[in-house]
Amino acid sequence: MLPIVEGMITALFFAAATLSSARASRLAGAASAAGGVLIFEALIVAPIAVIGSPLPAGPALPVEAFAFASIGGVANVVGLLLIYAAFRIGAVGIISTVASTEGAIAAAISVLAGQTLVPGSGPALAVVAIGVVLAAMSGGQEIEEGVAISRGQSLRAAGLAALAAFMFGLTFFTTGHASAILPPAWTLLPGRLFGVVAVGLPLLVTGRLHIPRTALPFVVLTGFGEIAGYSAFSIGAREDIAPTAVLGSMFAPIAAIAAFVLFRERLAPRQIVGIALVVAGIAILGAITA
């Protein structure tokens, strides 16, 4: 039951972070939005990790767990840069749908790492794949806030989202393994520190970190959403990675519906069918892995 509950909580927080990051990236630019979010997250996570979440007692530090957390952190930062770049040119509903395959990717990586594929997972993954292709390849008819999105922009955004999904899937997999030993804050800290050093500080030092006042609330909301989402995922993944990751990926339909209401986003009929197939596939995966 815990993986199911935490997976659903993960989805809600990730949906909020998706919507706010889409707005932040368009107001501040992909790099500045990512840098601002990573700096903010590091300022929140570091004190919690150092002061409020002491490491497990033992003769040596859990090096393997830190290695998993670090790999996941680097993948997460790369994924953020990719997804923020996608949000600048594409529709939230399509980008979030493509990115939502992160849970399925995490499950596939788990299989490659030696875990047994749950019976029925193959057909469900095939449904997800078909849905993603329909959603991503039917672009050119999207409208957001009254502005049409060209087919070229849509395809580029979908490609960036697909690369981000792989990175986020790797993050899910490695974070799930690290969370078996490390407290949630310590699974997040390595990636946030890497993000500050590799993205935030260079932008700050060179004067290229530009976050307009109108974008600041969205940067803060994105940071809170991502921290809360990954914390919930870490808790659920301690018991079982697969259902937590799969249910966490349900943030896509939530974000797509919210974008329809908040951003007046309109998609092509085939894209809506694609999103429905992805949701169905993810729901099936969640049911059979629960």
Side-chain angles (χ1 to χ4, degrees), residues 205-266:
V205 170
T206 59
R208 292 183 291 122
L209 184 64
H210 301 296
I211 301 177
R213 185 174 299 180
T214 53
L216 191 58
F218 297 107
V219 169
V220 172
L221 180 58
T222 300
F224 272 123
E226 289 185 357
I227 290 172
Y230 275 110
S231 296
F233 171 76
S234 296
I235 294 171
R238 286 186 173 187
E239 187 169 316
D240 198 336
I241 295 176
T244 311
V246 170
L247 290 174
S249 299
M250 291 297 286
F251 77 88
I254 300 173
I257 294 171
F260 177 86
V261 176
L262 298 176
F263 303 156
R264 294 183 289 131
E265 193 169 271
R266 301 296 183 266

Side-chain angles (χ1 to χ4, degrees), residues 104-152:
I105 291 171
I109 295 174
S110 298
V111 171
L112 294 175
Q115 292 189 16
T116 304
L117 188 67
V118 176
S121 297
L125 289 172
V127 171
V128 171
I130 294 171
V132 168
V133 171
L134 277 176
M137 301 303 292
S138 302
Q141 301 180 49
E142 303 100 313
I143 297 175
E144 186 168 314
E145 296 185 335
V147 179
I149 298 173
S150 70
R151 181 172 177 80

